[in-house]
Amino acid sequence: MDVAVVGAGRVGTAVAVLLSRAGNRVVAVSGREASRTRVETWLPGVPYLAAPDATRAAEVALLAVPDDAIAATCAEIAAAGGFARGTFVVHLSGAAPLLALGPARA
């Protein structure tokens, strides 16, 4: 499975590493500039891109951003055409509802 991770903080990067070790292909990651070194260390060779560019080529877009940023991040990516038809969009929050991913449907 081709996965893009948006939110390359500690949790997002750790999940990306585990997905990679499980045989999935991490096609790109996105995050704040402060996360770039973490990604280069733990995911060498994985492109570090803007969120819509990271998710465009993925079968699964994993949003590993803070709970209160999920809806806005999803809307921003959708508005930029970052979700291809058929892309599965998931988040890591136990608190945010699935409605937060609503913009990905369009």
Side-chain angles (χ1 to χ4, degrees):
M1 163 171 59
D2 289 350
V3 181
V5 177
V6 176
R10 289 185 298 266
V11 173
T13 300
V15 171
V17 168
L18 292 172
L19 286 168
S20 180
R21 288 180 182 172
N24 299 287
R25 189 167 77 110
V26 179
V27 294
V29 295
S30 175
R32 293 182 287 198
E33 191 58 35
S35 298
R36 185 180 293 271
T37 301
R38 179 182 300 111
V39 170
E40 290 170 350
T41 300
W42 293 102
L43 298 164
V46 174
Y48 195 82
L49 306 171
D53 297 328
T55 58
R56 232 173 241 122
E59 295 170 302
V60 176
L62 176 65
L63 304 185
V65 298
D67 293 356
D68 62 351
I70 292 170
T73 300
C74 186
E76 186 178 302
I77 295 168
F83 298 125
R85 186 185 261 340
T87 300
F88 291 94
V89 182
V90 298
H91 65 69
L92 297 177
S93 172
L98 287 177
L99 289 175
L101 302 177
R105 287 188 194 176

